Amino acid sequence: MAAELIGVCGGLIDQEQAVMVVPLVMLIDWYRGRRLALWALFGFVALNFLVLRQALTGSHLAAGILASPGELKLRLIAIAQVLVTDVRILFWPYDLHYYRSTDILTASPWWWVPVILAGVLLFES
């Protein structure tokens, strides 16, 4: 439990996309019927991260989404591309540099295919 919490906190410090780990862990644990008590802890960490981020940057979490719903759609599509890229870096580390940016305008819904396949394999094991 402590290692998982440290991993989530480290991921949040490293990349904001790591906040997606919380709902993924919740989904996997719900499916397997275990460790449901950790949901509140991971949610608490993620919520504190978002509040701290808002306080430090001055950006409101919902203002950008409400101002441009089209951008929200592009960002949701790009989540799969970020997940695939991060897993690729873990298993095949090339093109490593300090700055990695995802162009949400070029993201394709087809990035969700490997993510869904990986999810099916994960849930079937």
Side-chain angles (χ1 to χ4, degrees):
M1 179 172 95
E4 292 169 337
L5 185 61
I6 290 170
V8 169
C9 291
L12 290 174
I13 292 169
D14 181 47
Q15 281 190 333
E16 291 181 356
Q17 291 94 347
V19 79
M20 288 303 300
V21 170
V22 174
L24 291 174
V25 168
M26 290 171 67
L27 181 65
I28 292 167
D29 284 349
W30 173 78
Y31 179 79
R32 293 186 175 175
R34 58 188 172 114
R35 298 186 316 162
L36 304 180
L38 285 180
W39 291 9
L41 184 59
F42 286 136
F44 179 74
V45 169
L47 182 64
N48 280 321
F49 168 76
L50 293 172
V51 169
L52 181 63
R53 179 182 177 270
Q54 180 178 348
L56 293 175
T57 63
S59 63
H60 192 269
L61 295 174
I65 293 170
L66 298 175
S68 177
E71 184 178 354
L72 174 63
K73 178 183 172 190
L74 291 172
R75 289 187 182 275
L76 290 174
I77 291 172
I79 287 171
Q81 182 178 357
V82 170
L83 290 172
V84 170
T85 301
D86 290 348
V87 170
R88 185 218 21 107
I89 288 172
L90 284 173
F91 293 105
W92 193 23
Y94 76 92
D95 191 29
L96 302 176
H97 47 82
Y98 71 96
Y99 182 75
R100 183 170 316 285
S101 179
T102 302
D103 186 3
I104 64 171
L105 297 176
T106 62
S108 167
W110 289 105
W111 282 103
W112 281 101
V113 172
V115 172
I116 291 170
L117 289 174
V120 168
L121 291 173
L122 180 68
F123 287 129
E124 291 303 319
S125 62

